[in-house]
Amino acid sequence: MQIDHQHHLAGNQVIQKDCPKNKIKFESGLPDTIVIHFTAGRSAESSANYLSSDVKASAHLVIGRAGEIYQLVAFDTIAWHAGESQYGGRTGLNKYSIGIELDNAGELKRVGTEYQAWFGGRYQPTDVLYARHRNETMRSYWQTYTQEQIDMCEQVCQLLIEKYGIKTILGHEEIAPTRKRDPGPAFPLDKFRQNLLSQNRTDEPDETGKEAVVTGDLLNIRAGAGVDFPTIAPPLAVGTPVKVLEEKEGWVKVETKISGWVSKAFLKYE
Ligand SMILES: [Zn+2]
């Protein structure tokens, strides 16, 4: 698999689709970010058809459960996947990022011995994870991703990092935490970006000792650096001033009235 001069993926498992509505190119030096999504749809094909049709949403890629890939938008062109969003000092992440959609039904409801998606699709317990979302306190049911899908997503991200100098990989749930829950807890986001971006980690400025403010509303503050640690106080509101005590793998230990760990994505440094 490779990225050609038209900014298209070329490979056995890649299907190119026309998506004429997206025409505007990224500014020079961009994209530098990848945003991961789930489709909350029935199949990769149906999601690829929908996103390339005359609707106000699209993405660069849709990756199916067997690792098949639909490309809708060339990587030098802005797609419409992020919506109203922010990260660090930036707003409107479409103009900075490649959007990758993974075919996944999202949150499921338990119905008897099965699990049901919002569109009526039914799933067996072996395809379901009961887990807490990073932005929430209660556990719920989520369709799992396939290993083929995660592996293919990792391969594609590696190519994008090499070709475009991608520095950041984020979940939609991190750039629009009040609206979005994708890719959700079934996707190993922290491990995924740690594997892919570890070689770039030393390039990131260390914010230890700085003052910052919270940019995401209801930011969970935890006992340790990761979503598996319990929250230790009510979530922090937008605009809460904090002091950065320590940093580790996308998490920042902050001090406000109390001290604890928060996701680095939701702080803006003074
Ligand atoms: Zn999304």
Side-chain angles (χ1 to χ4, degrees):
M1 201 164 50
Q2 57 177 28
I3 299 171
D4 70 17
H5 296 302
Q6 296 349 303
H7 304 274
H8 286 146
L9 259 187
N12 287 337
Q13 300 199 72
V14 184
I15 301 148
Q16 292 292 334
K17 302 223 18 130
D18 268 342
C19 184
K21 66 192 172 190
N22 291 132
K23 292 189 182 71
I24 299 173
K25 307 279 186 201
F26 286 109
E27 285 185 18
S28 74
L30 297 171
D32 62 7
T33 299
I34 293 169
V35 179
I36 309 280
H37 305 258
F38 62 48
T39 55
R42 281 167 209 279
S43 70
E45 191 183 15
S46 68
S47 297
N49 288 340
Y50 174 78
L51 292 169
S52 56
S53 71
D54 188 22
V55 295
K56 288 211 179 309
S58 63
H60 292 88
L61 303 178
V62 178
I63 302 183
R65 302 185 69 78
E68 76 277 26
I69 302 179
Y70 295 85
Q71 181 164 19
L72 282 54
V73 181
F75 297 128
D76 65 342
T77 302
I78 295 172
W80 301 335
H81 55 96
E84 201 178 305
S85 51
Q86 58 170 0
Y87 175 75
R90 292 172 166 178
T91 57
L93 272 283
N94 282 337
K95 56 186 179 288
Y96 302 103
S97 64
I98 302 280
I100 301 180
E101 295 273 355
L102 301 171
D103 174 27
N104 182 285
E107 195 191 0
L108 305 173
K109 261 202 202 100
R110 196 170 171 172
V111 181
T113 59
E114 292 183 323
Y115 297 84
Q116 195 174 323
W118 69 273
F119 53 81
R122 296 223 169 183
Y123 304 89
Q124 296 305 308
T126 47
D127 298 323
V128 177
L129 180 74
Y130 184 52
R132 191 180 60 229
H133 193 283
R134 71 175 67 232
N135 298 342
E136 294 165 12
T137 52
M138 304 292 279
R139 291 203 284 176
S140 47
Y141 301 102
W142 305 86
Q143 189 188 15
T144 54
Y145 293 89
T146 67
Q147 196 58 50
E148 288 86 344
Q149 209 173 12
I150 293 170
D151 290 348
M152 190 53 84
C153 188
E154 185 165 349
Q155 272 190 54
V156 170
C157 287
Q158 187 63 51
L159 288 174
L160 292 169
I161 289 167
E162 286 162 15
K163 174 101 178 176
Y164 300 104
I166 299 292
K167 298 204 166 37
T168 310
I169 299 175
L170 298 166
H172 203 186
E173 68 204 21
E174 295 174 296
I175 63 171
T178 57
R179 295 190 302 119
K180 293 293 175 179
R181 303 168 86 202
D182 56 318
F187 188 80
L189 183 58
D190 289 325
K191 195 170 132 229
F192 185 85
R193 61 185 157 207
Q194 198 181 325
N195 289 345
L196 281 163
L197 297 171
S198 54
Q199 65 270 35
N200 301 338
R201 267 290 141 93
T202 48
D203 301 345
E204 268 186 29
D206 190 307
E207 315 289 356
T208 303
K210 288 195 188 161
E211 309 285 330
V213 292
V214 172
T215 60
D217 202 15
L218 302 179
L219 177 61
N220 283 323
I221 181 160
R222 298 181 183 280
V227 288
D228 295 330
F229 290 96
T231 58
I232 54 170
L236 305 178
V238 152
T240 305
V242 299
K243 182 166 188 209
V244 177
L245 301 177
E246 192 184 335
E247 265 200 65
K248 188 158 78 178
E249 287 158 12
W251 291 78
V252 178
K253 187 177 189 183
V254 297
E255 185 176 54
T256 156
K257 283 176 195 141
I258 53 158
S259 66
W261 292 83
V262 300
S263 174
K264 189 176 179 182
F266 301 112
L267 293 181
K268 182 171 148 224
Y269 303 96
E270 307 277 295

